[in-house]
Amino acid sequence: MNQIVSRRFFLSATAAMGGGLMVGISFSNTALAAAGSTVNVWVTIAPDESVTILSSGAEMGQGVLSSMPQIIAEELLVDWTKVKTGAAPSGSQYLNPVTHSQSTGGSNNIRSWFKPLLTIGAATREMLVSAAAQSWGVPVSQCKAVQGAVINTATNATLTYGALASVASTLPVPTSPAVLSSAGSYKLIGQPVARPDIPSKTDGSAIFGIDVRVPGMIYAAIKHPPVFGSTVNAITSTPAGAKSVNVGNAVVVTGATTWDAFRNAKSTQVSWTVPAGNSSASSSTILAKATALLKNGPTTPAETIGDVKAGLAAAAKQINVTYTLPFVPHACMEVLNCTASVTATSCEIWAPTQGADANLRTAIALTGLSAAQITIHPVLMGGGLGRKFEQDFISQAILASKALGAPVHLTWSREEDFSNDFYRPMAVCSVNAGIDASGAITAWNNRIISPSVMMRMFPAYVKNGLDTVAVAGAVALPYKMGSRYVDYANVPSPVPVGFWRSVGESVNNFVLESAIDELAALAGKDPYAYRAAQLSDARALGVLKAVAGMIGWSTKPATGHARGIAVSEGFGSYIAIAIEMTAATASTVTVTRVCAAVDCGTVVNPDTVVAQIQGGVVHGFSSALWGNTPISGGAAQLRNFDNYALTRMGNMPHIDVQIVNTPGAPLGGIGEVGVPAVAPALANAYFALTGKRLRGLPLKIVTPIYGDD
Amino acid sequence: MATQAVTLTVNGTKHTVNVDPSTPLLWVLRDALGLTGTKYGCGIEACGACTVLVGGGAEKSCEMSVQDASGQNITTIEGLAATPMHKVQLAWIAEQVPQCGYCQSGMILKAVELLQQTKTPTDAQISAAMSNLCVCGTYQRVRAAIHRAAAM
Ligand code: FES
Ligand code: FES
């Protein structure tokens, strides 16, 4: 459990861009602040005492626009009601100190930034204190910061931060500022403060990528090929009044409005070059290939502990089972879009993106401009879920703007978004495990066959064919197991695969926690008691016990009801989920209750933690119950929300979330933590209810709601 | 696609736009009038992100043509947000409902309609009325905010 298999490391593919932390601090001058201008800094203090603190993380709903400033505010000593937050532009000051990248993913912003942000807050506070000392002509030791002001301890005179800001901004940044707060003494950290971005999300004023409007811009839509991997051979006809641009993997088509562009894109005629073999790819051909690899290999070992063959031979009982998971789309609420304005000497990009610095590299490559000539403007994302790391929609807008000589606002239709995703990889996974007479696990042999995301995106980080992301959640398990052997093989296919909220964990935790449940049944033990006995990790046990208490595991559920439980570890955090369900008819399950106990170490904003777990559980529901991208003819057979089920209010029972604190535990991530354990908890509850073990996703045991029309 | 002058009243203001009259109201609001608070999610009345009030009732603006909308009083999220904020918006802030926020304009306007029709809706009535999609999964807080607004 000490080894956290994380996506952090490869996000530093451009580690050369910067090392170490550059604390960029300055203050706006009064005129700028009054005008509300954003300057390239962390903290801006206005004469009205409002404090604007930037976040270097990209906001997609996870609350990073609020939680990063909350950490700075702890040390800065300001009243949270005076704090406004904003998104930082791209810049070397904002590179994640661990990943050396301005990317948002892997639930790592708060984990990487916690200490540096405290230091930035402390440095800013010390500059204000120095400014006050200078104004009064007294030593710094005679001055003390209190909420939003500095007090002269000899005279009790005070100067507010607003009055000190312009002098402070001229002072040098302290090289080793003193962080005053510490775990146990935090005043703001750990408080459920209101998120400053929320009012703008209730009055329509929040600007998402899709809302960007720049002078002279042209609305545009996209037309992708009907088979994955194809390229444009020729554009054979474009509707009257529209323009079309060949961007290689697709055609960008303009219109008077976005809707007009959608219509024009549909009627544009294109001949495509289809790579040999791609048009015959289907869910069943890919599954057959994966199944052959599952049987015969070759595979790469991911973890070897002890002698699994001997462990199996010594076992009193065994399971030998196979789990199957499909490709799953992201379906972010906001479709992919990008606004780009390219001239001979400049390039500006406004995009809902998780990878601001990847956008910069894309723009450099496509325009030949220097980094200094390129501006990446931060905008809100209407969900990211991993999809908005990709560069396809960014490239298309840049190329179209270049070709048309005008700013282009490119929006994908929902149909294009669904059918041209980088899907969560399908997987076929086997578990052959043995237990002794007491139920203890003597051997655990898990084989994972799944298309590799890393081989496509970061091949340099794949050693000996092992995709560490694909096996995340399958190695370094929190259970006592006599011996283990986990291996992996990539199954190549034309279907694009990408990072998807909680990636490997969402695949492997379904396998792990379903199989543990099967072992419990094999041993004739209660699923909770069995886990409690077999877990080796104290924090995993902590959340398991907490969730059992929440749902009242020791009391039998009402007649006709049953419960399932699952525990997962990932992103430096632990969660256990317990689900209760009932079935009116054998095929229609109603989930009546969900309880989640989470241990993510130090908590910055507990209300955000609760929100992320609530949202993660809903996302886990959608993908476990219905998530599937059928492939045939080398294309995704998905179009829109009328035939793709996602959780709606009528399907969603109450979710109780409890935060379990392990004193002194390191800070964990939260954005992805809620997802993985949902699928196994559902399948395990269904087994308890019906005696039927479901080993394939989607489970399809709940009738979906598609809307009210 | 011949354009035509179409007059419509949005948030109490009359606008005349030159568009193809079959253009959905959604895209006239967003692309012609710059009212981007109303969102595109599906274009086929399956998600509710584009919900606006037309003559007081919640309508999905993605499949209502601007021609059909002309002559009616249209309220978008920007129009609901007059000072002081609507009680539904205040309840939304109090419950810290939005995550990414993308679906929330539609959610809020749908909730406004629900509370006009049913002063104190039950959980079942809320579930039945609120079929809007929220991929972030804010449903529990939406429900709590509707109960809160009902009590305000
Ligand atoms: S955009 Fe109108 S219902 Fe989805
Ligand atoms: S808040 Fe993000 S989709 Fe609803």
Side-chain angles (χ1 to χ4, degrees), chain B residues 26 39-50 60-62:
Chain B
L26 168 66
K39 296 295 194 269
Y40 166 71
C42 67
I44 58 162
E45 298 192 75
C47 76
C50 64
K60 294 178 178 126
S61 64
C62 64

Side-chain angles (χ1 to χ4, degrees), chain A residues 60-61 194-195 198-199 201-204 206 208 210-211 213 219 257-260 262-263 331 333-335 381-383 385 412-414 607 610-612 614-615 618 640-642 646-650 653-655 706-709, chain B residues 1 20 22-24 27 30-31 36-37 39-42 44-47 49 60 77-78 81 85 89 92-93 96-105 108 110 126-127 129-137 139-143:
Chain A
M60 51 188 146
R195 284 172 49 176
I198 280 187
K201 291 176 173 177
T202 67
D203 65 10
F208 297 84
I210 201 168
D211 302 327
R213 301 288 181 265
Y219 291 105
T257 60
T258 300
W259 176 77
D260 188 40
F262 285 168
R263 208 164 50 159
M333 203 70 218
E334 179 198 26
V335 289
M381 276 178 273
L385 305 173
W412 289 23
S413 67
R414 175 58 65 189
D607 190 55
V610 170
Q612 282 305 295
Q614 290 170 338
V618 171
N640 210 321
F641 292 129
D642 59 340
L646 287 160
T647 311
R648 309 233 181 186
M649 179 134 21
H654 193 81
I655 308 165
Y706 287 100
D708 56 7
D709 284 301
Chain B
M1 62 120 239
D20 177 338
S22 62
T23 307
W27 296 108
R30 290 183 53 81
D31 292 359
T36 55
K39 296 295 194 269
Y40 166 71
C42 67
I44 58 162
E45 298 192 75
C47 76
K60 294 178 178 126
I77 191 72
E78 291 92 345
M85 277 185 144
Q89 292 167 307
W92 241 248
I93 294 168
Q96 296 280 293
V97 174
Q99 289 189 24
C100 82
Y102 194 81
C103 70
Q104 299 292 336
S105 303
I108 287 169
K110 186 72 185 172
I126 293 172
S127 289
M130 301 297 295
S131 64
N132 298 44
L133 189 59
C134 173
V135 174
C136 292
Y139 301 120
Q140 191 160 318
R141 292 178 183 221
V142 167
R143 186 188 297 282

Side-chain angles (χ1 to χ4, degrees), chain A residues 234-329:
Chain A
I235 300 169
T236 51
S237 97
T238 305
K243 288 180 182 149
S244 58
V245 180
N246 174 354
V247 293
N249 62 352
V251 176
V252 173
V253 184
T254 67
T257 60
T258 300
W259 176 77
D260 188 40
F262 285 168
R263 208 164 50 159
N264 288 339
K266 261 190 211 148
S267 52
T268 297
Q269 302 296 313
V270 183
S271 76
W272 305 96
T273 305
V274 183
N278 280 18
S279 56
S280 61
S282 70
S283 304
S284 57
T285 58
I286 298 165
L287 183 61
K289 267 210 253 175
T291 306
L293 280 165
L294 189 77
K295 280 204 183 101
N296 309 319
T299 60
T300 303
E303 186 174 61
T304 311
I305 298 171
D307 184 345
V308 85
K309 277 204 180 106
L312 282 169
K317 291 178 180 173
Q318 289 191 25
I319 56 165
N320 197 349
V321 291
T322 301
Y323 301 90
T324 309
L325 295 88
F327 293 103
V328 181

